[in-house]
Amino acid sequence: MPDFLARVRALPRLGLGVSTEYGARRQDGALDPLELRRRRPDCAGFLEVGVEVVKGLDADARAWAAGGLPTTYHFLDINLDNPDDFDPPWLEGVRTIAAELRPAWLCGDAGLWHLGRRDRGHMLLLPPVLVDEAVAPLADGLIALREATGLEVLPENPPGAAFVGELHLLDFFARVAERADTGLLLDCAHLAMFQRARGHAPLTGFDGFPWDRVVELHVAGGRVQDTAGLAWVEDDHGTDVLPDTWEIAAEAVARAVNLRAIVVECERNPIDAVLPLFDRVAALWPGRGPEAA
């Protein structure tokens, strides 16, 4: 198999997209992806579908896929460093759903989605332990999933209020990407959480990071909270994006020479409330449009 920097040339440029997960539109005022595409196709070049295999796809994801529109598959139910999670029924479910979605690639937070055995609706999501010993198991899981599906698998840096381990988050994921020979999904809001939690400036660790492996970015709102004197950021996917996140996003776009997609995570907000977010992200990425069919 060619190395990733050769394989990335075959990945489509999707432009700006929006995320969803099972039942997201059931909430009052939540975003309708197809309506967003009708009103502003430049904001909805693709749909990133969050998937728990046990739940499958909801009507919105199925309608999008039935229209032959571009997608990516975001897993919500796999601890990549745990071989027990790669059981045959789960893998068959992934293949079945991927056959319906026809995603450009797989992606998802490379952390702990559950403790103990996988169960319906766990959705725990803790960041990985940032030590060198955790790199190989995570990388091996990425390789296993890529080989099982035939699709590129992009690990995403998860959110967190606290992070364990001595490595900088960017250094950790750089090591994972090199060992797995894979691309990366950088969540700018999640990185802002890490930098704040560690007392770093927003762009700490950027020099030396393998930006040519970054295929996708996420931008999302977050709310600063205080719990018993601990300041932390809630990953609420709202309309208020932290200044740190904007700074990270602007620099990431400038450095990520193989960037193919940016998701604005705002699925539980009305369209009119989120259009300014899309416009600001679009201004960061000239020439962002998807490739001609």
Side-chain angles (χ1 to χ4, degrees), residues 56-67 100-101:
L57 301 176
D58 68 4
D60 290 314
R62 285 208 150 100
W64 186 282
E100 183 171 356
L101 288 178

Side-chain angles (χ1 to χ4, degrees), residues 24-231:
R25 197 164 65 88
R26 293 177 184 172
Q27 297 188 16
D28 290 342
L31 187 146
D32 180 340
L34 281 171
E35 178 61 22
L36 176 64
R37 186 173 175 92
R38 281 190 287 268
R39 288 177 54 180
R40 288 286 303 273
D42 57 317
C43 299
F46 71 102
L47 183 65
E48 184 146 295
V49 183
V51 178
E52 286 182 272
V53 165
V54 70
K55 292 182 180 178
L57 301 176
D58 68 4
D60 290 314
R62 285 208 150 100
W64 186 282
L69 301 174
T71 69
T72 55
Y73 178 132
H74 189 295
F75 49 78
L76 305 173
D77 56 358
I78 177 75
N79 290 355
L80 288 163
D81 60 355
N82 183 358
D84 291 342
D85 269 13
F86 293 82
D87 58 87
W90 183 82
L91 283 172
E92 184 57 31
V94 171
R95 295 188 192 101
T96 299
I97 293 169
E100 183 171 356
L101 288 178
R102 301 181 301 279
W105 53 76
L106 303 181
C107 58
D109 298 81
L112 296 176
W113 282 103
H114 60 89
L115 292 177
R117 73 179 181 87
R118 182 195 288 118
D119 201 0
R120 183 183 180 94
H122 261 194
M123 299 286 286
L124 174 69
L125 191 51
L126 296 173
V129 179
L130 301 175
V131 296
D132 193 57
E133 292 83 355
V135 169
L138 180 52
D140 291 347
L142 289 164
I143 294 169
L145 188 54
R146 182 173 70 221
E147 292 178 347
T149 62
L151 293 166
E152 295 294 339
V153 184
L154 310 179
E156 174 185 354
N157 53 302
F163 297 82
V164 177
E166 72 274 8
L167 293 178
H168 190 283
L169 184 143
L170 292 178
D171 187 20
F172 177 82
F173 277 95
R175 297 183 190 193
V176 169
E178 181 178 7
R179 183 178 177 97
D181 189 30
T182 190
L184 291 164
L185 189 171
L186 182 68
D187 190 303
C188 301
H190 296 175
L191 179 56
M193 295 176 195
F194 172 83
Q195 303 284 41
R196 284 189 175 213
R198 288 287 177 92
H200 296 318
L203 305 187
T204 297
F206 272 44
D207 292 340
F209 185 66
W211 290 102
D212 53 357
R213 291 186 180 271
V214 175
V215 172
E216 181 178 335
L217 298 176
H218 284 185
V219 175
R223 286 190 294 174
V224 178
Q225 305 281 13
D226 187 288
T227 302
L230 173 67

Side-chain angles (χ1 to χ4, degrees), residues 215-265:
V215 172
E216 181 178 335
L217 298 176
H218 284 185
V219 175
R223 286 190 294 174
V224 178
Q225 305 281 13
D226 187 288
T227 302
L230 173 67
W232 58 284
V233 178
E234 180 182 358
D235 189 30
D236 69 352
H237 291 192
T239 57
D240 294 326
V241 177
L242 295 176
D244 313 32
T245 301
W246 286 122
E247 184 177 355
I248 288 167
E251 187 66 18
V253 168
R255 294 184 183 227
V257 295
N258 287 316
L259 186 62
R260 297 293 194 268
I262 301 181
V263 172
V264 179
E265 296 185 292

